[in-house]
Amino acid sequence: MTIKNKVVVITGASSGIGESTAKLLAIKGAKVVLAARREEKLKEIVHDIQNAGGNAVYHVMDVTNLDENHKLIEFTKENYGKIDVIFLNAGIMPNSPLSALKVDEWNQMIDINLKGVLNGLAAVLPTFIGQKSGHVITTSSVAGIKAYPGGAVYRATKWAVKDLMEVLRMESAQEGTNIRTATIYPAAINTELLDTITDKDSLEGMTALYKKHGISPERIANIVAFAIDQPEDVNINEFTVGSTNQPW
């Protein structure tokens, strides 16, 4: 398998999709670098991975800080000597109608969901371009391919990630840098995303939706592993994933 011995960096790795992906890739033989803000959670996950025979380290960082993204790449190279894949997964979803004017939450989503991806790219692309190989994977959302009331800014950030990744794929092909891309559009996945919603009506609606249709983050981890495990000359660019019973 092409996953074995690959060095994979995962942001937003302290819970949910990031945690599940780190554990699965480690089982499959990858060397995993977990990155997030919550050190205790990261330490616990790395401990679990190592106890299961996997190879993992963690690095505390904030994706909204460009310098900390550069330090994450440096940390990875210091520990493993290279980097093959970066999974830009950190995100928040404090949905609300635009009329609620939760401007601070709008800015938080832009900073984490969009600028966090841009910062990760700015940090890793020099390495990928220099070695003429690499794989960038991002977590977008079904909200990144369809418009729904109640979460315009969240959706705007996820649409932006969709376009950003598509252009990265095209430019890499034109420039001959062999950088693979994969954008994942999850529907309702049972993670901590709902914990960020402060608008009462939005929280009630999303909670009911997730209770009915939510599936495990391990399902997304399987998709990440599948994308990485393809031959180097194969790029599967997009995955839309959700419950069989959810009409997203």
Side-chain angles (χ1 to χ4, degrees), residues 96-178:
S96 64
L98 288 170
S99 57
L101 296 175
K102 292 182 177 286
V103 178
D104 287 344
E105 293 181 356
W106 298 354
N107 287 323
Q108 289 170 6
M109 283 185 279
I110 292 167
D111 286 344
I112 295 172
N113 298 357
L114 178 54
K115 289 184 180 178
V117 172
L118 287 168
N119 288 339
L121 288 177
V124 80
L125 281 182
T127 296
F128 284 177
I129 291 169
Q131 66 194 24
K132 290 197 173 183
S133 68
H135 200 166
V136 180
I137 303 173
T138 55
T139 303
S140 178
S141 169
V142 293
I145 52 178
K146 289 190 174 185
Y148 302 98
V153 178
Y154 176 72
R155 286 155 176 77
T157 63
K158 296 303 186 177
W159 278 74
V161 169
K162 171 183 170 61
D163 185 77
L164 180 68
M165 290 289 285
E166 177 66 0
V167 174
L168 173 62
R169 181 191 65 79
M170 296 172 73
E171 290 182 350
S172 172
Q174 289 176 337
E175 296 166 3
T177 52
N178 306 311

Side-chain angles (χ1 to χ4, degrees), residues 94-97 150-151 194 197-207:
N95 280 348
S96 64
L194 299 189
I197 301 176
T198 62
D199 182 79
K200 182 176 179 294
D201 290 339
S202 296
L203 179 59
E204 288 180 358
M206 294 301 290
T207 299

Side-chain angles (χ1 to χ4, degrees), residues 216-232:
S216 164
E218 283 81 8
R219 305 296 186 261
I220 306 302
N222 289 333
I223 299 297
V224 176
F226 178 80
I228 296 172
D229 205 29
Q230 299 308 301
E232 295 296 330

